[in-house]
Amino acid sequence: MNMNEYQELASRTGNIEDSKARVLCNYALGLNGEAGEAADILKKHIFHGHPLDREEFAKELGDCLWYVSQLARLAGYTLEEIAVMNIEKLKKRYPNGFKTSDSIHRVV
């Protein structure tokens, strides 16, 4: 499955019964909540000594992807367009790959 197919299939389970503003807010808050759940799995692994539950981590990342796909859709973009825009931005910012010094002194 490509990312645009995923986005289309994911849209099937989106909330369409509320105003666009409320749906955008719901999805933005949902993304933050799911990102927090993913971060909590890593926190417990790194700082609390828990084994990394890769499957649960992947599920939380999938939930993040769902919200990103729907926020992009509501903004009028496909996931492929978002991905291309992001890569172009990163190429400009780090033309030779990431380096800490370039990050500290970046101008783009």
Side-chain angles (χ1 to χ4, degrees), residues 11 17 21 23 31 37 42 44 55-56 68 74 76 94 97:
S11 296
E17 297 176 350
V23 172
L31 174 59
E37 290 184 31
L42 292 178
K44 288 177 180 174
E55 186 171 336
E56 283 305 308
V68 167
L74 288 171
Y94 304 110

Side-chain angles (χ1 to χ4, degrees), residues 90-91 93-103:
L90 293 172
K91 283 180 183 176
R93 189 173 289 171
Y94 304 110
N96 301 310
F98 178 82
K99 292 187 179 97
T100 302
S101 62
D102 291 343
S103 177

Side-chain angles (χ1 to χ4, degrees), residues 5-96:
E5 289 171 334
Y6 169 85
Q7 186 177 26
E8 186 177 328
L9 291 170
S11 296
R12 192 176 61 78
T13 57
N15 177 359
I16 58 170
E17 297 176 350
D18 215 338
S19 71
K20 185 175 179 178
R22 289 180 56 88
V23 172
L24 280 168
C25 186
N26 179 20
Y27 291 175
L29 291 170
L31 174 59
N32 280 276
E34 296 299 340
E37 290 184 31
D40 196 51
I41 290 170
L42 292 178
K43 177 196 74 172
K44 288 177 180 174
H45 172 62
I46 294 168
F47 297 105
H48 299 182
H50 294 224
L52 178 60
D53 189 334
R54 293 179 63 239
E55 186 171 336
E56 283 305 308
F57 185 61
K59 287 178 182 178
E60 299 305 338
L61 293 177
D63 291 341
C64 290
L65 179 61
W66 186 94
Y67 281 110
V68 167
S69 78
Q70 297 313 294
L71 287 166
R73 179 181 59 81
L74 288 171
Y77 291 99
T78 66
L79 279 178
E80 183 176 346
E81 290 169 326
I82 295 291
V84 168
M85 290 166 54
N86 182 252
I87 292 299
E88 291 303 316
K89 178 182 83 170
L90 293 172
K91 283 180 183 176
K92 288 178 186 173
R93 189 173 289 171
Y94 304 110
N96 301 310

